[in-house]
């Protein structure tokens, strides 16, 4: 009886492992559907494997977590993500230039979507794997705090120090982003208020995420429409359809 329990525990622990010990394991998992688990693969697994094969093969070059306690993998991943983010931003800017979009619109649409898709998948994974919504929502707020405080603050600090050393003043005009930021803040407040309503309402199952099917779909549609309204109002202001007093 004890041996059976130990065998079952070992099997379950092996199934829960998300790390690999060698580069060969990473390439083997990247080149096989569902990490080599063909029997448990679904049609969607085959579709996603076809669409993401290049990315999976690229990220297989990242050192496995078993080396140096995972720190080498962590910092290498940060560098790779930074390089890919820069490439996505440049490609989005080129596309916006080709189709005649202004930089402000390109940045809040194509650039934002390209750089935020990893957060989307990470939040989705956390929502399905965790018992609570803390990690899923915390991933979004944490990512945005890094973007605002580190992604903006650090480059601005470096530029300000550099310009000061040259005897110049570092000044950046707001352009059209003032109105966009206000719309975003209002949308974020509405979103947070909606999550509070979901927490205490029986209709939504007293949960920030999930719940009954119909209210869940309505919630997703409402949040999606918030994003559409944000984009629409920003575009209207940039192209002069809305006159902002600031």
């Amino acid at each position: 009886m004890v041996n059976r329990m130990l065998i079952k525990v070992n099997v379950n622990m092996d199934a829960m492992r998300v790390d690999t010990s060698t580069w060969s394991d990473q390439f083997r998992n990247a080149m096989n559907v569902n990490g080599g688990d063909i029997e448990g693969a679904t049609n969607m697994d085959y579709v996603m494997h076809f669409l993401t094969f290049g990315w999976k093969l690229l990220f297989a070059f990242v050192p496995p977590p078993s080396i140096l306690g995972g720190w080498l993998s962590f910092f290498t991943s940060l560098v790779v993500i930074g390089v890919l983010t820069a490439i996505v931003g440049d490609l989005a800017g080129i596309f916006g230039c080709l189709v005649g979009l202004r930089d402000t619109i390109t940045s809040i649409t194509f650039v934002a979507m390209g750089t935020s898709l990893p957060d989307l998948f990470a939040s989705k994974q956390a929502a399905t794997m965790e018992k609570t919504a803390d990690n899923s929502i915390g991933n979004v707020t944490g990512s945005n705090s890094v973007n605002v405080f580190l992604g903006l603050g650090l480059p601005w600090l470096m530029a300000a120090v550099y310009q000061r050393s040259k005897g110049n003043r570092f000044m950046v005009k707001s352009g059209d982003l003032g109105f966009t930021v206000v719309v975003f803040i209002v949308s974020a407040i509405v979103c947070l208020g909606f999550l509070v309503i979901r927490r205490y309402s029986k209709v939504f199952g007293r949960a920030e995420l999930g719940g009954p099917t119909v209210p869940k779909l309505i919630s997703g549609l409402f949040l999606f429409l918030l994003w559409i309204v944000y984009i629409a109002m920003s575009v209207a202001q940039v192209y002069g359809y809305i006159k902002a007093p600031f």
Side-chain angles (χ1 to χ4, degrees):
M1 184 66 181
V2 175
N3 290 334
R4 292 179 181 178
M5 293 181 63
L6 291 175
I7 293 174
K8 182 174 293 187
V9 169
N10 289 332
V11 171
N12 291 337
M13 292 300 294
D14 290 337
M16 293 173 63
R17 288 184 58 192
V18 295
D19 66 311
T20 53
S21 57
T22 63
W23 260 295
S24 61
D25 292 338
Q26 293 187 165
F27 282 101
R28 188 181 303 109
N29 293 336
M31 300 183 69
N32 289 281
V33 178
N34 200 27
D37 184 13
I38 306 298
E39 297 180 355
T42 62
N43 293 333
M44 182 57 65
D45 291 328
Y46 282 95
V47 173
M48 294 304 299
H49 178 72
F50 174 77
L51 295 177
T52 62
F53 178 75
W55 296 109
K56 293 167 66 176
L57 195 60
L58 175 64
F59 287 121
F61 285 95
V62 175
S66 58
I67 300 178
L68 299 179
W71 287 107
L72 182 60
S73 176
F74 174 74
F75 287 109
T76 305
S77 299
L78 289 181
V79 173
V80 173
I81 292 173
V83 172
L84 291 178
T85 301
I87 294 175
V88 169
D90 289 341
L91 292 177
I94 294 173
F95 176 77
C97 181
L98 291 175
V99 299
L101 289 177
R102 296 188 181 180
D103 292 340
T104 304
I105 304 303
T106 303
S107 63
I108 65 174
T109 52
F110 298 108
V111 176
M113 285 190 294
T115 57
S116 297
L117 282 179
D119 296 331
L120 173 63
F121 291 119
S123 295
K124 187 264 182 185
Q125 188 75 6
T128 55
M129 298 290 291
E130 300 292 333
K131 294 182 179 180
T132 65
D134 293 349
N135 287 343
S136 180
I137 298 177
N139 176 72
V140 176
T141 56
S143 175
N144 280 279
S145 65
V146 171
N147 292 336
V148 174
F149 303 130
L150 185 61
L152 290 179
L154 184 59
W156 282 6
L157 175 62
M158 295 172 62
V161 172
Y162 174 79
Q163 293 295 335
R164 184 64 177 177
S165 66
K166 298 292 184 179
N168 302 323
R169 296 182 62 187
F170 179 66
M171 299 180 63
V172 180
K173 296 182 179 180
S174 62
D176 299 317
L177 285 180
F179 178 80
T180 300
V181 171
V182 171
V183 174
F184 172 79
I185 292 175
V186 173
S187 301
I189 293 174
V190 173
C191 176
L192 292 175
F194 181 67
L195 291 178
V196 173
I197 293 175
R198 282 185 55 91
R199 170 177 289 187
Y200 296 103
S201 175
K202 292 183 179 180
V203 177
F204 298 104
R206 290 195 174 95
E208 290 90 346
L209 302 177
T213 302
V214 175
K216 177 173 61 177
L217 295 176
I218 293 175
S219 299
L221 179 61
F222 174 75
L223 295 177
F224 177 75
L225 288 177
L226 272 182
W227 179 69
I228 294 297
V229 170
Y230 163 71
I231 296 296
M233 294 188 67
S234 299
V235 171
Q237 191 271 334
V238 170
Y239 286 97
Y241 297 103
I242 296 178
K243 301 297 183 181
F246 44 85

